[in-house]
Amino acid sequence: MEIIKFKTNVVDEEALSKVAPLLDKEERISKWSLDTESAEKVLSVSGTGLDPQVVESAVEEAGYKAEIIRVMGISGGDL
């Protein structure tokens, strides 16, 4: 399982409500979370065979930006 972290501009619950359905429909994403309290509004995504471009496109489709900041390999750790 891979974990990819993105810096976003998703700042609040209203913005998150626009992004969530698009992330939820991506089959390769098994779990995701967004830390709106952090300065970088970090979106953490885990799954198998993840394509960072797919995640970025989903966030952009909702009208926001996502920039990859970290990729982690197989892990049993938390997002």
Side-chain angles (χ1 to χ4, degrees), residues 22-40:
L22 299 170
L23 294 174
D24 288 342
K25 77 177 185 179
E26 291 300 329
E27 293 179 4
R28 292 186 228 171
I29 297 174
S30 59
K31 187 175 176 182
W32 64 269
S33 67
L34 181 71
D35 182 1
T36 56
E37 299 297 316
S38 71
E40 294 186 320

